[in-house]
Amino acid sequence: MSQPYAIELKGITKAFGSVVANKNISLNVKQGEILALLGENGSGKTTLMNMLSGIYKPDSGEIFVEGKPVSINSPEDSKRLGIGMVHQHFKLVDVFSAADNIWIGREKAGLRLKKNRFALVEEMIQRFGFDLDPAKKVYNMSVSEKQTLEIIKVLSYGAKTIILDEPTAVLTVQEIDKLFGVLRRMKAEGHSIIIITHKLNEVMDISDRVAILRKGEYITTVDTRETNEQELTEWMVGRKVDLNIDRPVMEKTRPLLELRDVTIRNDEGALAIDGVNFYIRGGEILGVAGIAGCGQKELCEAIAGLRPIEKGQMIHKGDNIVGLPPKAIHEKGISMSFIPEDRLGMGLAPSLSITDNMLLKNYADTKGPFVNRKQGRADAENVIQELDVVTPSTETPVRRLSGGNVQKVLLGREIKAGPNVIVTAYPVRGLDINSSYAIYNILNRQKQAGVGILFVGEDLDVMMALCDKIMVLCHGRLMGVVHAHKTTKEELGLMMTGALDLTDKYEDKPAGIAKDTRFGEKEGEEEA
Amino acid sequence: MHIHIVKRDKLPLWKKCCFYLAAVLAALVLGGVVLLSIGVNPLEYYTRMFTMGTMGNPIAYRVFENYLKDFVPLVLTSVALSLAFKMRFWNIGGEGQFIMGAISAAFVALKLGPSLPNAVTLLLMCLAAMVVAGLYGLLVAALKVRFGTNETLLTLMLNYVALYVLIFLGETKADWNFFLREDSVRPVFASFSDWVKFPAFSLGGRFTLNICVILTVVVGLLVYLYLKKTKQGYEIAVVGDSAGTARYAGMKVNRIVLRTVFLSACLIGLAAAFKVGTAGILSTAITNDVGWTGIIVAWLAQLNTVAIFLVAALICVLHNGSVAAAATFSRVDSSFANMLQGAILFLVLAADFFIRFRVVITKKGGRDNG
Amino acid sequence: MDKLAVLTAFLHSIVVYNIPLLYGTVGEITVEKSGSLNLGVEGIMAAGAIFGYIFGCYANSLLVGILAGFAAGALCGLLFALLTVTLQANQNITGLTLTTFGLGLYFFVGNSLKASGWPVMNDFANIKEGFADLSIPLLSDIPLLGKGLFSHNILVYLGIVIAIGMWWYLNKTSLGLRLRAVGENPAAADSVGINVNRSKYLHICLGCGIMGIGGYYMGLNMGGSFNSSCWINGYGWIAVALVIFANWNTALAIVGTFVFGFFNTLRVSGSSLAAAFPGALGWLASIPTQLYQALPFIITAIVLIITSIRNKRGSSGLPAALGLNYYREDR
C-alpha cells in the first residue's frame, strides 16, 4: 500500500452567512512535498487552511490526517494532529520574549518557569538551523524575525505539516530566498508544506504541486514541472486574460507636483523619508516601489498634509504647499487614497452609508450647520453608475460591500472631485484580477485626462506594465527613478534592498529632479 | 455533538424586539420565583410595581410628578453619555460630572439666588452647572487626546474625587461653608427652594408638568437632530467609526473629541441643574446613581436617542414601582428592584448575543482526534 | 495614652482595616490578567460578604464562611464569564450591572434575614475565636512593630499569602505565563493551543472568589452588624484603583494596600495621633477626613496620567487586550 496522504480534504464546504467561502473542496498533500495553494484573493485559500488550523469549522466534509478521519474543533486539536500554521498576521505576544512565545504552547513545560527555558529554546533554534535571540522581545523584532519566530514556534510543537499564509508578502527578495531555503530544508527533513500565495513566480520556484482555487471552488491540482505560468493563470482566473495592462502614451506636461529634499519622520520620531526628490507630470503614472515600511505611507500622508514635512519643499504648479492643512491641499486638487492592510481603516468609514462616505471630504463646503445629504446621494448614484459598483442602494453601509466595490467607491469619490494629482497607495490590494483591471482602467482614464498619478504598489509586474516611471525607495531614501518599460525586476529588487543606487546614474541630472522644473518659479517672478 | 456559534446577518427589528421582550419576561419570571419563595404573590406585586402604586391612589398625580423628577436627570444623562459613547469615548464619569454640575448650580442658587429674579437665577444655574461639568469632562478628554490616558479608568477615579468634594461640603461646619444651614448645629445642606424653583404648569387637573420635562424632551430632540442632520453630528459618526478616516478627511479629530466630550459633560451638568433646581437643596445622594444607570441605559438603547427615552422610562418605573410596592409588601425589600434590574440586564445582554450570533449544533463529526 | 501604644494601634489598624482591599485587588488583578475588565468588584465583594457571613454563622465555622464567601464570589464571576466570554457582552456594562445586582442581593438577603432573625457574630464562638488575633512567635515581641504588624487574625495572613502566591503563579509558572498571554493577545494564545475560554473562565472565577473572601472579611471586621450602609462601603472601587496603582502586580498590591491603608487609617485615627503628638502631628486634626477618602482615587488618577505620559513600552502591566472580548472567528 502506498503512503497515506499527510492531509486529505474531502468535500469541504464553509459558508459565512449567505457567502459561501468554500464549496465542496477536495484536495490532498503528500508527505514530504511542498504544495502551493494558488488562487486570487477571496478565492477561499485562507478560509480553507483555517479549517485545518482549527480557527473555523467546516459546515460539511471530511478531513483525514495520515489516512485517519479527524475532527478539528480548535487550534489545540490541530496542534495535536501535527498541523502548524504561520498566519499572515502574526499571532505573537508583543511584550513577551521569543522564548516565552514558544513556551506558552509547550506541552510539558512544567509548573515552574525556569530560567533555562532560554537555553532550551536557543538550542532548538540552532537545531532547526535558524538565528534568533531567544531573549529578544517581539516588539523589538523586524518583520522577518517575527516570521522566523512563527516558523520556529510551529516546528517546536512537532508539526509535521506546516501551512504558511502568504509568507512572502512582507519580505524582501533576499529574505524570500532565505525563507525558501528553509522550506526546502524542512521538506528534506520530511515535513509536508502548504504555502498559500498568489504570486506565480514563487509557485514555480518552490512548489512540487499546485492546487488551484477559484471563487471558493476547487479547480485542479497539477505537478509544477508540467505546467507554466500562463496555464496557472488561466486556471486561477477562469478565462484567458490579457496579461498586458494598457499604458497609453501621453504628451509630457511640465511637472505638476515636485518634492525637493523632503524629510519626514514617522510616528516613533525616526526618519521615514530622508531627503527625497521626485516629480510628477500631468498625464503620467509614477510608480513607487519598495518593501513594506520603507516610508511609502509617511510619504503619502505628508503629501496629503496629514504629516508634517520636516525639511524640504513641495511645489504644486509652482506654489510651495508645505505646511498647508489637509483641506487646503485637497482644494488645490491633490487627492490621496490609501488602502491599508485591513482595507477599511483609512479613507472610508465602514459603518456609514455610501452616501455619507461620498460626503467625507466636502461635507463642510456647504453653508449652514446641516449636512447636505441630497448632494451626497447624487454623487453616490453617479459613482455607482459610472464605476459599476454592485450595491443594493446608496444607503448601504460600505462594510457590506465586497472588496472591489469598496475600492471603487473610494476611488470614485476621489475622482469626482476632479483632482489634478492623484496619490493612490495599494488601490488593488486584495482585489481579484478583474476588479484590479477595472481600477487600472479608471487610473488610465484619469491619466489620459491629464492628471498626474503617484501609484504606490506592491506587485512589481503590475507596476512595470502600468506605470510610466518607477521610483524606488529603500529605508526612506530614494534609490533612483527608472523607466518602467526599460527596467527589469532584478534591477528593481536590487534597488529595493539598497544594493543598487541609481540616483547619480546620469552625471548631468540627479534622479528625481526635472529639467523643466517649476522650482523657484514664483520666487523668480517676484524678483523679476 | 459540537456546539458552535456563528455571526448572524442583520435581524429584522420586530424579531429583535421579541428577543428583548422575552429577556425581560424571563427576568420577571425569575423574580417571581424569588417572590413566591418568600410567600408573596408575584402577580399582585408586579401589578403594584408597574402601576407604581397609582391604582386607587387619590394622589396618583403626585406619583407621576415624582416619577418625572427621577426620569428627567436619568434620560438627560443617558442622552449625554451616548454622545461620548458614539465616539467610542468611554466616559463613565457621569457621576462625577453630575456632582460637579450640582455643586455649581447650588453655588449659584445660594450665592446669587436671593438677589436675582427666579428666571435669571435658573438660567445662571444651568450655565454654571454646564460649564463646570463640561470642564470636568474636558480635562479627561484633553489627557486622552494628548497622552492617550485610559479614559474609562480616569473618569472612574474622578467620580470619587467629586463625590468626596460633595461630602466634604456636606459635612464640614465652617463659617465659609454657605452650602450648609446656618441655624443648625449639625451639618445639614441649606435649602434654597424658597427663592429658586423651576416653574411647573398645571394641565387642567391637579397634575403639574415641570418645565424641566419639556426642556428635556426638547434637548432630546435637538440631540437627535444634531447627530442625524448636522455637520458636527456627521463628524462624530465618522470619528466613532474610524478615527483614521476622519483624520484623512481633514477633520481635526482631537478637536472633535474635545468638543463632543465637553458637550456630553455639559448636558450631564444640565441634568444636574434640573435636579438641583427641582429639589431646591443639595444632598450627598443627589446623583441618584444616574451616572451609572445612564451608562446602562445608553448601552441598552444602543445609543439611539429615541430608544434611550423608552429604556430610561422603563428603568424609572422599575425603581419607583419597587419603592411603592415595598410600602405594601413589607416582606419585599426595596432592594428587590436592583436585583430585578440586574436580572433584566443580564438577560437582555444574553438576548443581545442571540441577536448577534446564531448557535449551530453539529451532531455528526464526533470522531476521535488522532 | 501611651504614645507607643497609639503608634502601635495605628500600625495595627492600617493592616486590619485594609486587608480587604488586598483581597479585592489581588482578585481583580487575576481577572484583568485574563483580559477582562470587571467593574463589578463592589457587588461581588458584597455578595461574598453576605453569603460568607450567613453560611459561616450557620455552620459556626470560619472555614465554612471563607469557603462560602469564595463560592459566592466565584458564582458572580461565573455569571460575568458566561456573559462576557461565552455571550460576548460588553464588559463595562456587565461589570456595572454586577455591582447593582450584587448590592441588591446583599440588601435583599440581609434585610429579609433581619426581619426573621439576624445571626449575631458574638453568638458563634468558633467564628469569634477564629477571627481573633494570632501572634507570630518572636516577631510579635518586637516593640512597636510586633503588635502592629505581626499580631493579626488569620485572614490577614491568608490575604498576604494569596497575594504572594498569586505573584509567584503569574510570574514564575508556565500557567501564569499562559494566562498573561491570554490577556495580552488571545488570538496568539489560541493559536498555540491554549484554551482561551477555559483560561478566562477559570481565572475570572478564581479572582472573583478571592474578592468574595475579602467581602467576608469586611463583614467580620464590622462585627457582623447589619445596617443601612453596606459593609463594602466603596472598598471594591478602591480596589479597582489599587490595581492600577500596583501596576497589575499582586506583590506591589501589598505595598499599595498599606499606602492606601495609611491614608484610610489616618482618617479614623488622625485625631488620636494628633492628640498623642500635639507638637509634631497636631496639624493632622485639621485635615478634613474626606481628603483621606479621596486620596486613593487622586493618587491613582495621577499614576494613570503619569504612566500615560511616560508611555514606555513593556513597562506597564496593563494587559493589552484588557476589556476586549475574544471571538475566534472574527476576521
Side-chain angles (χ1 to χ4, degrees):
Chain A
M1 196 185 121
S2 66
Q3 224 181 5
Y5 291 118
I7 286 176
E8 188 173 13
L9 304 174
K10 278 189 186 165
I12 298 286
T13 296
K14 174 76 185 172
F16 296 100
S18 53
V19 184
V20 182
N22 287 151
K23 234 175 290 173
N24 192 23
I25 292 182
S26 302
L27 59 80
N28 54 56
V29 190
K30 292 177 190 159
Q31 298 192 7
E33 75 161 350
I34 298 180
L35 176 78
L37 190 55
L38 180 68
E40 294 186 73
N41 269 300
S43 59
K45 297 166 300 198
T46 304
T47 305
L48 185 67
M49 288 303 108
N50 271 334
M51 281 186 275
L52 285 177
S53 74
I55 302 277
Y56 300 137
K57 176 122 180 89
D59 297 337
S60 63
E62 288 175 296
I63 301 173
F64 297 84
V65 174
E66 289 173 357
K68 289 192 216 69
V70 297
S71 141
I72 303 175
N73 291 318
S74 66
E76 212 176 338
D77 290 347
S78 165
K79 185 172 140 194
R80 215 171 12 239
L81 292 166
I83 302 169
M85 179 156 170
V86 176
H87 296 268
Q88 196 179 2
H89 300 287
F90 301 137
K91 303 206 179 226
L92 296 169
V93 180
D94 249 10
V95 295
F96 280 9
S97 61
D100 283 350
N101 264 293
I102 292 171
W103 212 253
I104 52 174
R106 202 176 150 94
E107 292 290 324
K108 292 188 181 70
L111 178 62
R112 277 193 52 207
L113 202 53
K114 295 194 191 101
K115 276 269 180 299
N116 69 4
R117 66 183 186 278
F118 291 101
L120 285 172
V121 168
E122 170 79 73
E123 186 207 332
M124 202 147 60
I125 292 171
Q126 279 171 4
R127 183 151 42 88
F128 296 140
F130 292 97
D131 180 28
L132 188 73
D133 176 8
K136 192 166 186 178
K137 295 270 200 275
V138 172
Y139 58 75
N140 286 328
M141 289 184 185
S142 69
V143 183
S144 91
E145 278 178 311
K146 287 182 191 173
Q147 188 177 62
T148 307
L149 173 57
E150 284 279 25
I151 295 174
I152 297 169
K153 205 168 92 176
V154 163
L155 286 174
S156 77
Y157 301 151
K160 277 172 277 174
T161 304
I162 294 156
I163 305 164
L164 299 112
D165 191 357
E166 301 203 16
T168 58
V170 289
L171 301 183
T172 61
V173 177
Q174 283 74 5
E175 284 168 338
I176 291 174
D177 281 347
K178 211 172 130 194
L179 172 71
F180 283 1
V182 168
L183 295 185
R184 288 195 185 95
R185 201 175 65 228
M186 292 194 317
K187 169 184 153 187
E189 285 163 8
H191 292 287
S192 312
I193 293 162
I194 304 175
I195 175 168
I196 299 181
T197 179
H198 50 203
K199 294 182 188 162
L200 295 173
N201 57 343
E202 292 173 0
V203 171
M204 300 307 291
D205 184 4
I206 187 83
S207 69
D208 297 310
R209 289 193 305 153
V210 194
I212 298 127
L213 299 186
R214 186 204 312 153
K215 291 184 177 148
E217 286 181 82
Y218 172 73
I219 304 301
T220 185
T221 303
V222 287
D223 277 343
T224 310
R225 269 168 303 172
E226 291 161 14
T227 186
N228 56 48
E229 295 197 14
Q230 193 63 35
E231 193 181 38
L232 288 175
T233 311
E234 278 171 40
W235 271 317
M236 190 161 89
V237 183
R239 62 176 171 81
K240 199 167 172 102
V241 289
D242 183 10
L243 268 177
N244 294 317
I245 301 167
D246 277 346
R247 180 162 46 205
V249 182
M250 299 292 302
E251 206 139 295
K252 281 188 182 179
T253 68
R254 291 187 71 191
L256 276 173
L257 182 74
E258 294 178 72
L259 271 75
R260 191 71 64 83
D261 289 325
V262 162
T263 297
I264 305 162
R265 289 191 184 274
N266 65 14
D267 290 334
E268 279 79 44
L271 282 183
I273 289 290
D274 187 3
V276 164
N277 290 302
F278 71 90
Y279 59 92
I280 310 169
R281 296 178 189 281
E284 80 170 359
I285 300 183
L286 174 66
V288 179
I291 56 173
C294 70
Q296 306 100 316
K297 183 165 169 257
E298 286 81 4
L299 180 63
C300 293
E301 288 176 348
I303 294 176
L306 297 168
R307 186 175 284 280
I309 291 175
E310 189 177 86
K311 241 175 39 210
Q313 281 167 296
M314 179 157 75
I315 302 293
H316 176 254
K317 291 185 172 174
D319 293 329
N320 190 357
I321 57 169
V322 168
L324 288 189
K327 223 177 138 24
I329 291 180
H330 183 246
E331 277 159 8
K332 291 227 171 235
I334 298 175
S335 128
M336 194 274 277
S337 59
F338 188 100
I339 310 289
E341 274 163 11
D342 61 5
R343 294 206 214 164
L344 287 171
M346 199 194 231
L348 290 171
S351 304
L352 302 191
S353 65
I354 300 178
T355 302
D356 276 9
N357 272 292
M358 284 298 144
L359 290 166
L360 197 64
K361 281 187 172 167
N362 58 3
Y363 73 97
D365 295 347
T366 53
K367 278 200 177 127
F370 296 105
V371 172
N372 182 358
R373 286 216 165 68
K374 232 185 224 163
Q375 182 61 47
R377 208 159 292 133
D379 288 343
E381 273 160 12
N382 258 337
V383 168
I384 291 170
Q385 212 166 33
E386 275 176 30
L387 304 186
D388 293 323
V389 179
V390 181
T391 171
S393 84
T394 56
E395 302 313 299
T396 308
V398 168
R399 76 152 95 250
R400 295 262 189 88
L401 306 180
S402 71
N405 290 307
V406 169
Q407 268 136 293
K408 281 182 194 168
V409 167
L410 180 58
L411 266 182
R413 183 188 67 210
E414 296 306 316
I415 290 165
K416 104 186 142 54
N420 47 53
V421 175
I422 294 179
V423 176
T424 180
Y426 316 115
V428 296
R429 191 171 235 167
L431 295 190
D432 59 40
I433 285 190
N434 285 325
S435 307
S436 300
Y437 272 87
I439 301 283
Y440 302 144
N441 286 335
I442 293 170
L443 291 176
N444 270 333
R445 250 184 285 155
Q446 290 298 310
K447 170 181 163 183
Q448 281 163 314
V451 175
I453 299 172
L454 186 75
F455 179 96
V456 182
E458 300 175 289
D459 190 327
L460 292 182
D461 294 308
V462 168
M463 291 174 72
M464 287 164 66
L466 177 71
C467 301
D468 297 287
K469 282 187 270 174
I470 299 174
M471 63 183 254
V472 183
L473 293 174
C474 173
H475 294 302
R477 299 190 69 95
L478 182 70
M479 301 313 290
V481 184
V482 293
H483 286 283
H485 61 277
K486 284 186 200 154
T487 187
T488 60
K489 259 172 117 172
E490 287 65 38
E491 186 180 55
L492 289 173
L494 286 170
M495 288 165 81
M496 281 161 69
T497 54
L500 179 64
D501 187 342
L502 295 182
T503 43
D504 295 318
K505 192 178 171 194
Y506 307 103
E507 269 172 36
D508 58 327
K509 180 182 168 290
I513 294 176
K515 281 182 172 159
D516 51 351
T517 178
R518 274 172 144 157
F519 245 87
E521 209 171 59
K522 275 282 150 73
E523 290 94 308
E525 278 169 16
E526 275 157 27
E527 276 167 31
Chain B
M1 193 185 86
H2 180 74
I3 296 172
H4 184 72
I5 56 173
V6 260
K7 276 204 172 147
R8 247 188 223 283
D9 285 345
K10 210 178 171 181
L11 210 63
L13 188 69
W14 67 270
K15 269 192 184 168
K16 271 193 198 173
C17 291
C18 284
F19 269 110
Y20 288 133
L21 211 64
V24 174
L25 282 179
L28 290 179
V29 169
L30 269 180
V33 173
V34 173
L35 289 172
L36 270 179
S37 72
I38 55 169
V40 170
N41 183 338
L43 284 180
E44 283 176 26
Y45 181 89
Y46 283 139
T47 313
R48 185 123 190 107
M49 190 173 92
F50 281 107
T51 56
M52 296 188 290
T54 49
M55 291 225 295
N57 187 341
I59 52 160
Y61 71 96
R62 271 279 167 76
V63 175
F64 280 121
E65 284 175 12
N66 286 332
Y67 170 79
L68 288 173
K69 272 184 197 164
D70 280 354
F71 174 71
V72 163
L74 177 62
V75 80
L76 206 46
T77 306
S78 312
V79 167
L81 288 172
S82 73
L83 280 175
F85 291 169
K86 271 225 160 134
M87 263 180 352
R88 295 195 206 161
F89 184 95
W90 297 114
N91 176 17
I92 63 169
E95 285 282 303
Q97 289 145 19
F98 194 95
I99 290 171
M100 285 311 196
I103 294 175
S104 319
F107 178 93
V108 171
L110 288 162
K111 272 281 176 196
L112 308 174
S115 53
L116 289 171
N118 188 17
V120 179
T121 313
L122 286 173
L123 200 66
L124 286 177
M125 280 169 73
C126 291
L127 274 178
M130 287 170 79
V131 170
V132 173
L135 290 176
Y136 205 56
L138 191 63
L139 171 74
V140 181
L143 286 164
K144 161 96 177 173
V145 162
R146 182 76 184 80
F147 303 113
T149 314
N150 184 322
E151 79 276 19
T152 313
L153 298 171
L154 188 59
T155 46
L156 180 67
M157 297 305 126
L158 290 184
N159 281 345
Y160 288 92
V161 175
L163 177 65
Y164 288 114
V165 169
L166 177 63
I167 295 177
F168 170 67
L169 293 176
E171 291 181 350
T172 310
K173 202 73 185 133
D175 289 342
W176 57 263
N177 195 349
F178 55 85
F179 285 95
L180 298 184
R181 269 169 69 165
E182 280 170 25
D183 56 353
S184 164
V185 185
R186 290 183 50 240
V188 180
F189 274 118
S191 164
F192 41 83
S193 58
D194 290 344
W195 61 84
V196 193
K197 206 168 203 165
F198 278 104
F201 308 99
S202 172
L203 293 180
R206 280 182 295 178
F207 175 77
T208 55
L209 186 66
N210 196 297
I211 192 169
C212 293
V213 181
I214 301 165
L215 288 175
T216 301
V217 174
V218 171
V219 170
L221 209 65
L222 287 177
V223 169
Y224 177 82
L225 287 177
Y226 177 75
L227 287 174
K228 292 267 173 202
K229 300 283 174 201
T230 68
K231 290 174 182 171
Q232 297 198 350
Y234 176 75
E235 287 172 343
I236 293 175
V238 175
V239 171
D241 200 33
S242 163
T245 297
R247 215 164 276 127
Y248 156 89
M251 293 182 189
K252 297 193 171 65
V253 173
N254 288 352
R255 211 165 72 185
I256 294 167
V257 170
L258 293 172
R259 184 181 72 206
T260 312
V261 174
F262 181 72
L263 186 64
S264 161
C266 270
L267 288 180
I268 294 176
L270 185 64
F274 283 178
K275 172 88 182 181
V276 170
T278 319
I281 189 167
L282 264 183
S283 126
T284 50
I286 191 83
T287 68
N288 198 14
D289 284 348
V290 290
W292 302 122
T293 319
I295 297 169
I296 293 170
V297 171
W299 189 259
L300 278 185
Q302 292 173 354
L303 311 185
N304 177 316
T305 317
V306 179
I308 286 175
F309 272 77
L310 293 177
V311 176
L314 186 77
I315 297 253
C316 275
V317 167
L318 222 58
H319 274 259
N320 285 25
S322 72
V323 175
T328 323
F329 300 90
S330 58
R331 256 183 293 182
V332 189
D333 192 66
S334 64
S335 59
F336 180 72
N338 281 338
M339 271 171 59
L340 194 62
Q341 187 192 323
I344 291 178
L345 273 164
F346 287 140
L347 285 159
V348 167
L349 288 173
D352 215 35
F353 169 80
F354 291 101
I355 286 168
R356 285 188 294 146
F357 296 91
R358 212 156 38 91
V359 176
V360 180
I361 298 172
T362 34
K363 289 230 169 70
K364 71 179 199 85
R367 290 191 174 113
D368 223 31
N369 300 323
Chain C
M1 203 169 156
D2 180 12
K3 289 185 180 180
L4 202 64
V6 171
L7 277 183
T8 306
F10 182 67
L11 273 182
H12 191 265
S13 298
I14 288 181
V15 178
V16 81
Y17 285 107
N18 296 293
I19 286 294
L21 279 183
L22 183 61
Y23 279 99
T25 308
V26 171
E28 181 67 5
I29 291 175
T30 311
V31 175
E32 290 194 15
K33 276 290 174 189
S34 78
S36 299
L37 179 59
N38 169 20
L39 294 180
V41 187
E42 184 85 4
I44 293 165
M45 285 178 84
I50 195 82
F51 287 112
Y53 184 76
I54 290 170
F55 283 103
C57 285
Y58 283 161
N60 193 11
S61 152
L62 188 71
L63 182 66
V64 169
I66 293 173
L67 291 178
F70 182 89
L75 279 176
C76 290
L78 189 64
L79 188 61
F80 183 84
L82 181 71
L83 283 165
T84 60
V85 178
T86 303
L87 299 184
Q88 307 276 320
N90 179 290
Q91 295 177 9
N92 289 350
I93 305 297
T94 309
L96 289 176
T97 308
L98 203 51
T99 293
T100 312
F101 181 75
L103 290 175
L105 195 65
Y106 169 89
F107 282 113
F108 186 76
V109 173
N111 283 331
S112 305
L113 261 187
K114 222 175 170 186
S116 58
W118 177 256
V120 180
M121 188 171 155
N122 279 355
D123 297 348
F124 302 97
N126 287 345
I127 295 202
K128 213 166 159 330
E129 280 163 26
F131 196 61
D133 286 356
L134 295 172
S135 297
I136 299 179
L138 295 175
L139 283 177
S140 62
D141 296 333
I142 307 172
L144 181 65
L145 296 178
K147 281 274 174 289
L149 298 181
F150 302 108
S151 177
H152 284 290
N153 66 65
I154 183 119
L155 280 171
V156 170
Y157 303 124
L158 182 65
I160 306 264
V161 168
I162 290 177
I164 293 172
M166 200 47 86
W167 178 84
W168 181 78
Y169 173 76
L170 286 172
N171 297 294
K172 298 287 167 193
T173 70
S174 308
L175 293 172
L177 187 72
R178 284 181 195 162
L179 172 64
R180 283 187 282 138
V182 169
E184 288 291 338
N185 185 346
D190 195 11
S191 76
V192 299
I194 296 173
N195 190 328
V196 172
N197 284 4
R198 189 173 63 198
S199 178
K200 284 194 164 214
Y201 261 90
L202 222 61
H203 291 96
I204 289 172
C205 289
L206 176 67
C208 291
I210 295 172
M211 296 172 204
I213 303 179
Y216 178 48
Y217 182 119
M218 292 221 69
L220 294 179
N221 211 30
M222 302 278 172
S225 63
F226 189 90
N227 52 37
S228 64
S229 72
C230 178
W231 285 335
I232 309 306
N233 197 21
Y235 270 47
W237 292 112
I238 304 181
V240 174
L242 193 44
V243 170
I244 302 158
F245 183 78
N247 195 25
W248 289 265
N249 177 333
T250 59
L252 274 182
I254 302 176
V255 180
T257 299
F258 293 142
V259 172
F260 282 21
F262 174 76
F263 297 117
N264 204 7
T265 311
L266 267 185
R267 171 174 67 96
V268 185
S269 349
S271 52
S272 62
L273 278 177
F277 306 94
L281 298 173
W283 53 273
L284 276 177
S286 59
I287 295 203
T289 60
Q290 292 82 10
L291 180 63
Y292 296 123
Q293 288 174 295
L295 264 177
F297 300 106
I298 296 173
I299 295 173
T300 304
I302 292 170
V303 167
L304 253 180
I305 295 167
I306 290 176
T307 45
S308 64
I309 292 174
R310 276 178 54 220
N311 188 26
K312 214 172 123 209
R313 218 163 176 191
S315 70
S316 170
L318 175 83
L322 184 65
L324 308 172
N325 286 338
Y326 176 63
Y327 173 54
R328 183 187 285 159
E329 299 183 15
D330 245 341
R331 293 189 292 172

